[in-house]
Amino acid sequence: MKALHFGAGNIGKGFIGNLLSKNGYEVCFVDVNQEMIDRINGSNSYLVELLDDNHTVETIFSVSALNSITQEIKVIEAIVNADIITTSVGVVNLSRISRILAKGLLERIAQNRKQIDVIANENAIDASRTLKKEVEKIVSGEEMAQINSLVGFPNSAIDRLALSKKGAEGDITLVEPFFEWVINKSEMVNFDLPLISGTTYVEDLKPYIERKLYIVNMGHAATAYLAFLSGEPTIQKALRNQKVERIVRGAMVEASQYITHTYQSDSEKMTEFIEKTLKRFKNSNISDDILRVGQSPIRKLGYDERLIKPARELFKLGLPIENLATSIAAGYLFNTQEDKESIALQDYIRANGIDKAISHFSQIEHAELKDIIKKHYDKMKNCHIVIN
């Protein structure tokens, strides 16, 4: 079996490619990093280190890599011959791979190949649908109808922390022991392949995606922004601060009320999920830089994003949001020259004030909700270290 995966980054190598390889697939990565491509092709393998107490190192075999810019013909051939296509390029980069994907899928149709599923594994809701829309922009209506007859774009939810470190043989991907890959089975078209062991298949993906985004991703971002204000360099060190942990846990508990209310989820299981997530965040074998986790604050403070949507939905229901509001305020105080969005965010606040910033970036217009966020913002903004 052959898998083609767009993106030879940490998630690609440490999670998706890793799991596909363990399920018996020959995995071919498509990337633009020629150094990475050469390194993979040099040994047809790469290393993954598990961030457990033993720091177990695994070698992932039967892999290869192609450059989507300089080896377009070979990438198209790989699309034609693949049994499954997956991505982990970042949702903002899906448009960049859509052209070559469209070419390959149309060539596959011309050669009367079997049905195939294309799964975009990005940290976003309905990423596969987004990729499909990017393909639609490029092809004609008739060509898209042909693609729809052969290709499924099942959405997925993924969860695994993946980092990297320099090694003697180049970058080594670091992954936490926990992982979750949930695929919407109802959107698949190819059932000839065995189901991927270690993956969960569901008929309705939305509860899993929202649980991941509004509890896990929200909690991770909240920790980063509070850590920045408390002067802590990593997620793990920040959560040793009892006040930071209290606010983060409180924000996760508040956000869980949105999940339980929307999907009638079991509240006891949700509590267990929160504690398991916090345990992951505290893993002492991980050193998770807060500037990495907190990057792109404008996106993360968006209307339907991890911090804002649960807060505004809970506010409508009259449920508590104090810890979420504190975390949102901390996001608006995230100020680092290492991140373009942080620079743009702070420039806007200086020029227009926090009230207009909340309206502009989070699209919150309700005066009472804005006042709750501003209360926490004003309380923290003049303190050098505010969580101590």
Side-chain angles (χ1 to χ4, degrees), residues 211-276:
R211 185 189 67 173
K212 163 68 165 38
L213 183 60
Y214 300 133
I215 296 182
V216 181
N217 294 138
M218 183 282 300
H220 214 200
T223 306
Y225 296 141
L226 293 164
F228 177 80
L229 295 176
S230 61
E232 300 291 356
T234 69
I235 296 296
Q236 290 67 40
K237 288 184 178 179
L239 287 172
R240 294 175 194 164
N241 181 320
Q242 291 183 355
K243 289 189 177 180
V244 171
E245 182 182 358
R246 175 180 55 78
I247 296 169
V248 172
R249 177 183 274 106
M252 294 170 78
V253 170
E254 289 169 359
S256 74
Q257 297 302 304
Y258 162 71
I259 301 295
T260 54
H261 180 271
T262 305
Y263 300 107
Q264 291 73 54
S265 304
D266 184 282
S267 58
E268 187 173 328
K269 288 184 178 179
M270 194 61 65
T271 298
E272 292 174 1
F273 180 78
I274 290 169
E275 293 306 315
K276 181 168 68 174

Side-chain angles (χ1 to χ4, degrees), residues 79-99:
I79 293 170
V80 170
N81 294 315
D83 294 297
I84 188 172
I85 298 172
T86 53
T87 83
S88 60
V89 297
V91 67
V92 296
N93 294 315
L94 290 175
S95 60
R96 298 183 180 181
I97 67 170
S98 59
R99 185 185 64 83

Side-chain angles (χ1 to χ4, degrees), residues 74-327:
K74 288 189 176 182
V75 173
I76 290 171
E77 289 176 0
I79 293 170
V80 170
N81 294 315
D83 294 297
I84 188 172
I85 298 172
T86 53
T87 83
S88 60
V89 297
V91 67
V92 296
N93 294 315
L94 290 175
S95 60
R96 298 183 180 181
I97 67 170
S98 59
R99 185 185 64 83
I100 195 167
L101 177 62
K103 283 186 176 182
L105 292 175
L106 290 172
E107 180 60 29
R108 186 183 178 96
I109 292 166
Q111 295 189 27
N112 295 314
R113 297 301 175 105
K114 64 182 181 181
Q115 291 180 312
I116 191 169
D117 289 308
V118 179
I119 308 173
N121 302 287
E122 314 297 346
N123 197 15
I125 294 175
D126 293 343
S128 296
R129 185 177 302 166
T130 299
L131 178 57
K132 181 179 179 180
K133 288 180 179 178
E134 292 297 334
V135 171
E136 286 178 345
K137 294 176 184 178
I138 293 167
V139 302
S140 68
E142 182 180 350
E143 288 171 332
M144 195 65 212
Q146 291 176 330
I147 289 173
N148 286 333
S149 70
L150 184 78
V151 183
F153 289 85
N155 289 290
S156 75
I158 59 165
D159 191 4
R160 189 175 212 179
L161 178 66
L163 307 168
S164 66
K165 70 175 183 180
K166 295 291 183 183
E169 300 177 11
D171 288 345
I172 298 175
T173 299
L174 312 173
V175 294
E176 65 173 326
F178 173 89
F179 68 86
E180 184 177 62
W181 188 5
V182 187
I183 297 173
N184 191 333
K185 191 175 182 179
S186 68
E187 296 173 324
M188 293 171 56
V189 298
N190 184 8
F191 294 97
D192 293 336
L193 297 173
L195 297 180
I196 301 166
S197 178
T199 299
T200 301
Y201 293 85
V202 298
E203 297 298 322
D204 182 8
L205 187 67
K206 194 170 182 181
Y208 295 88
I209 290 180
E210 294 216 329
R211 185 189 67 173
K212 163 68 165 38
L213 183 60
Y214 300 133
I215 296 182
V216 181
N217 294 138
M218 183 282 300
H220 214 200
T223 306
Y225 296 141
L226 293 164
F228 177 80
L229 295 176
S230 61
E232 300 291 356
T234 69
I235 296 296
Q236 290 67 40
K237 288 184 178 179
L239 287 172
R240 294 175 194 164
N241 181 320
Q242 291 183 355
K243 289 189 177 180
V244 171
E245 182 182 358
R246 175 180 55 78
I247 296 169
V248 172
R249 177 183 274 106
M252 294 170 78
V253 170
E254 289 169 359
S256 74
Q257 297 302 304
Y258 162 71
I259 301 295
T260 54
H261 180 271
T262 305
Y263 300 107
Q264 291 73 54
S265 304
D266 184 282
S267 58
E268 187 173 328
K269 288 184 178 179
M270 194 61 65
T271 298
E272 292 174 1
F273 180 78
I274 290 169
E275 293 306 315
K276 181 168 68 174
T277 302
L278 282 168
K279 185 178 179 180
R280 290 171 57 198
F281 291 170
K282 294 177 181 179
N283 185 342
S284 61
N285 297 302
I286 300 172
S287 182
D288 205 0
D289 187 283
I290 65 156
L291 298 183
R292 183 195 73 83
V293 178
Q295 66 187 350
S296 305
I298 290 176
R299 175 170 61 85
K300 291 172 182 174
L301 290 165
Y303 182 74
D304 278 327
E305 264 288 344
R306 61 208 70 193
L307 289 156
I308 302 301
K309 183 173 180 178
R312 60 181 178 79
E313 292 297 327
L314 290 167
F315 178 78
K316 290 178 187 176
L317 296 169
L319 293 172
I321 61 163
E322 285 297 315
N323 293 291
L324 280 166
T326 301
S327 302

Side-chain angles (χ1 to χ4, degrees), residues 301 307-309 311-312 315 321-333 354-355 357-359 362-381:
L301 290 165
L307 289 156
I308 302 301
K309 183 173 180 178
R312 60 181 178 79
F315 178 78
I321 61 163
E322 285 297 315
N323 293 291
L324 280 166
T326 301
S327 302
I328 292 167
Y332 274 103
L333 286 161
I354 185 61
D355 188 283
I358 294 170
S359 296
S362 300
Q363 299 175 51
I364 292 174
E365 294 296 349
H366 196 289
E368 186 179 347
L369 178 54
K370 280 204 292 187
D371 284 345
I372 296 171
I373 296 169
K374 287 190 294 180
K375 176 188 72 175
H376 291 287
Y377 178 90
D378 291 337
K379 182 179 178 181
M380 294 188 289
K381 70 176 179 178

